[in-house]
Amino acid sequence: MTQVVVSDFTFKYQHQETTVLNHINTTFASAAFNLLVGPSGSGKTTLLKFIAGLYPQFSHNAATGSILFDHLAIDSLSEQQRCQQVAMVFQNPNQQFAMDTVQNELVFVLENLQTPPAQINQQLNAALSFCDITDLKKRELNTLSGGEKQRVALACIVAMNPAVIVLDEPFASIDPTSRQILIKQLKELQLNQQKTIILADHDLSDYENIVDNVHQLDSTTGKIQRLTPKASQELFATFNQQQHDLPAVSLPDTTQQPIVTLNDVYVGHPKRQLLHQDHFNFYPGKTTLITGHNGIGKSTLFNAITKLIKYQGEISYQQQNIQKLRNLKYAQQVKLLFQDAENQFLEITVQEELALAKKHRNNAFYDDQTIQQILTQLNLANHLNQVVYSLSEGQKKKLQIMIMLIMAPPVLLLDEPLKGLDLQSIKVVVNLLQTAKEQLNQTQLLISHQLVGLAPLVDYHVNFADQHLSYEGVSA
């Protein structure tokens, strides 16, 4: 059992005027499930990285104050001691993998902890079983979905067996059923193995009867407070008032001309078929939500539609086979917002990314005045000179969405666009997407496990299951 005490802790990134963490004082109780909340960019990830001992050594900036693990300062521990005390699941799991396959990644983790060779397989298999991903053992990491990668990252932490488990939005890409299972498993670790859990999340679903303490970071003051039981109940009540499920949407009018068509399409990996669709139409000027379990093939489908991977059959755009369209011309018409925001960036600073987007836009609907207004709405106006990779994951996602909207493609495919966003940011993003659809007649295909706040945007709902796409809704 380990208590984590943060005392008078202050930190500011280089070249930033505002202090991210400002004289923070709080205690994460021993053997308790601690939930950390706060708006995007409030400093949650920064605080967690300090607790995990990753900062300041990888931030190149000193901090003042202290973080104690049962009276031992985290920066006084050797690397071996620190790994026994604390481990972290990143918001973006790609940032913590070092090997090619799931099995090799877990072996690498355990070997670095000097685990006796005779025990490695047993601990490896136990971790995979705990996270219910034994079937992924031999899979290459780069073939996994975002949600599957998150579960592998959690399995690595379970195998490490630290006293304190730190998790940064670990369920952002995970389907609702898997999310509930994993939260309950974390609770089991806390109760049965006396682990101290410190978890940051924007989506408060499923936590109300699980967490012991709620700590709230204020983005304005950079301070933190541990909420009283009454204040915690009010926070969950406010969240629960949001629309968590989509309303009953109508089925599409099949007499209208489709914009994207699949004909006898096979999509998948050499040993694993993901989609076999005889015929399917996506319709113009609408937002179509695609849902399905992790690893079902949703992102792979988007990669096929944007010609990023090979497939069998025919995919048509405006009744033309996309393989017969020039790549550059097609890429200007149909764009993909990647699940991982960093994969979208080509420049160094926020200002440079915006300039590049304006250079390649299809029209000038988003003029300088409108762009400035959106920057303010997304709380990015004061980050123009900041290196994009130093933004929080939520800020990266907002910038990524903004540059894709500025380019104004007729068809925009969005893979988990709400990942890492707080409720207020979700409202702003949904409103921006709604405006693009209404003013530019933009067609939007959207993958999201996060349903809170999406209802005003969605016109059609497609379920992806059993290698098949099907519209769900009520007849108009």
Side-chain angles (χ1 to χ4, degrees):
M1 297 194 301
T2 302
Q3 176 178 264
V4 179
V5 180
V6 183
S7 299
D8 198 31
F9 197 83
T10 299
F11 177 75
K12 183 174 76 171
Y13 284 105
Q14 220 171 12
H15 308 306
Q16 276 191 242
E17 296 180 5
T18 56
T19 300
V20 180
L21 304 171
N22 186 22
H23 298 286
I24 283 182
N25 291 281
T26 197
T27 297
F28 296 101
S30 175
F33 199 126
N34 301 277
L35 179 63
L36 180 62
V37 300
S40 301
S42 60
K44 299 186 300 299
T45 298
T46 301
L47 176 60
L48 294 183
K49 287 183 175 178
F50 271 107
I51 292 173
L54 300 175
Y55 284 0
Q57 62 187 102
F58 297 119
S59 70
H60 310 296
N61 279 57
T64 59
S66 64
I67 297 177
L68 304 178
F69 284 65
D70 285 345
H71 310 296
L72 293 174
I74 181 68
D75 53 8
S76 71
L77 301 176
S78 68
E79 187 170 343
Q80 185 73 15
Q81 290 173 320
R82 179 170 55 80
C83 289
Q84 292 172 346
Q85 284 289 327
V86 60
M88 181 175 179
V89 176
F90 292 2
Q91 187 171 347
N92 181 354
N94 290 319
Q95 295 173 349
Q96 64 190 99
F97 294 144
M99 305 303 287
D100 55 347
T101 69
V102 173
Q103 181 176 13
N104 288 343
E105 183 68 26
L106 280 156
V107 169
F108 177 76
V109 167
L110 292 169
E111 287 180 341
N112 275 279
L113 293 175
Q114 300 179 11
T115 305
Q119 297 178 18
I120 286 181
N121 277 338
Q122 180 183 353
Q123 291 182 221
L124 183 156
N125 290 329
L128 291 174
S129 177
F130 181 85
C131 295
D132 195 24
I133 52 171
T134 300
D135 59 320
L136 301 182
K137 183 176 179 178
K138 302 291 187 180
R139 290 275 300 277
E140 293 185 4
L141 288 163
N142 62 10
T143 67
L144 301 181
S145 71
E148 289 172 328
K149 289 176 182 177
Q150 287 283 24
R151 297 178 80 155
V152 172
L154 180 57
C156 291
I157 303 305
V158 171
M160 291 175 70
N161 194 32
V164 179
I165 300 177
V166 175
L167 306 103
D168 188 10
E169 301 243 13
F171 311 123
S173 303
I174 290 180
D175 62 77
T177 301
S178 297
R179 172 192 172 90
Q180 292 170 3
I181 292 171
L182 289 174
I183 289 176
K184 289 180 180 177
Q185 288 177 315
L186 284 174
K187 188 66 176 178
E188 286 180 23
L189 286 175
Q190 175 226 329
L191 294 176
N192 299 335
Q193 299 185 32
Q194 301 299 293
K195 303 295 186 185
T196 300
I197 309 292
I198 306 174
L199 187 151
D201 208 338
H202 290 298
D203 186 347
L204 305 186
S205 305
D206 309 309
Y207 289 122
E208 187 170 3
N209 299 315
I210 295 289
V211 300
D212 300 300
N213 306 300
V214 178
H215 303 255
Q216 188 170 47
L217 261 172
D218 188 320
S219 59
T220 304
T221 64
K223 293 184 180 295
I224 194 171
Q225 63 172 326
R226 180 172 166 177
L227 300 185
T228 64
K230 181 180 179 182
S232 297
Q233 289 175 1
E234 292 174 351
L235 180 70
F236 286 118
T238 300
F239 179 84
N240 290 334
Q241 289 173 1
Q242 307 295 320
Q243 176 69 49
H244 289 247
D245 299 312
L246 291 171
V249 294
S250 62
L251 295 171
D253 175 8
T254 56
T255 63
Q256 63 183 314
Q257 195 77 262
I259 192 165
V260 174
T261 297
L262 312 181
N263 280 312
D264 199 23
V265 169
Y266 290 79
V267 177
H269 307 297
K271 297 182 180 180
R272 186 164 171 259
Q273 182 175 294
L274 297 172
L275 175 72
H276 176 202
Q277 194 76 30
D278 293 334
H279 182 80
F280 196 84
N281 290 328
F282 291 103
Y283 296 97
K286 301 293 184 181
T287 300
T288 301
L289 172 68
I290 303 173
T291 61
H293 293 304
N294 290 125
I296 200 75
K298 301 183 297 297
S299 297
T300 306
L301 170 63
F302 275 12
N303 288 336
I305 293 174
T306 48
K307 299 172 70 171
L308 294 177
I309 62 170
K310 294 180 179 179
Y311 58 89
Q312 295 180 349
E314 181 179 305
I315 299 177
S316 298
Y317 171 65
Q318 293 183 331
Q319 287 73 59
Q320 290 183 284
N321 187 335
I322 63 173
Q323 296 301 338
K324 297 180 180 180
L325 298 174
R326 289 193 303 116
N327 289 342
L328 179 59
K329 179 180 179 181
Y330 182 63
Q332 291 171 337
Q333 297 293 305
V334 180
K335 293 189 180 296
L336 170 60
L337 181 134
F338 297 127
Q339 187 172 141
D340 184 354
E342 288 189 1
N343 291 339
Q344 208 90 51
F345 300 142
L346 298 172
E347 298 291 347
I348 304 300
T349 68
V350 172
Q351 183 71 66
E352 290 168 344
E353 279 292 341
L354 294 173
L356 183 64
K358 289 194 290 184
K359 181 179 178 180
H360 294 284
R361 59 189 169 188
N362 284 320
N363 61 62
F365 176 78
Y366 293 97
D367 56 23
D368 288 345
Q369 181 179 355
T370 303
I371 290 172
Q372 187 59 46
Q373 291 172 349
I374 296 173
L375 283 168
T376 301
Q377 289 178 302
L378 294 174
N379 294 319
L380 292 175
N382 295 325
H383 297 274
L384 290 177
N385 296 318
Q386 190 169 337
V387 174
V388 292
Y389 304 103
S390 69
L391 297 172
S392 73
E393 292 300 319
Q395 289 169 331
K396 289 176 189 173
K397 181 59 66 176
K398 289 189 284 188
L399 174 63
Q400 179 196 21
I401 291 170
M402 187 173 178
I403 62 178
M404 297 301 284
L405 287 175
I406 289 172
M407 288 189 283
V411 178
L412 180 57
L413 280 57
L414 302 110
D415 193 351
E416 298 288 355
L418 307 184
K419 181 181 176 183
L421 299 185
D422 58 82
L423 283 177
Q424 181 56 39
S425 297
I426 288 174
K427 291 178 182 178
V428 174
V429 166
V430 166
N431 183 61
L432 291 173
L433 291 171
Q434 187 75 7
T435 298
K437 179 171 61 175
E438 293 173 353
Q439 299 299 319
L440 302 176
N441 196 35
Q442 186 177 73
T443 301
Q444 298 163 353
L445 308 184
L446 188 153
I447 296 168
S448 184
H449 291 300
Q450 163 71 275
L451 300 182
V452 178
L454 262 185
L457 180 65
V458 176
D459 300 296
Y460 303 137
H461 176 207
V462 170
N463 182 46
F464 193 159
D466 300 321
Q467 304 176 11
H468 188 76
L469 301 171
S470 59
Y471 280 104
E472 295 197 346
V474 295
S475 301

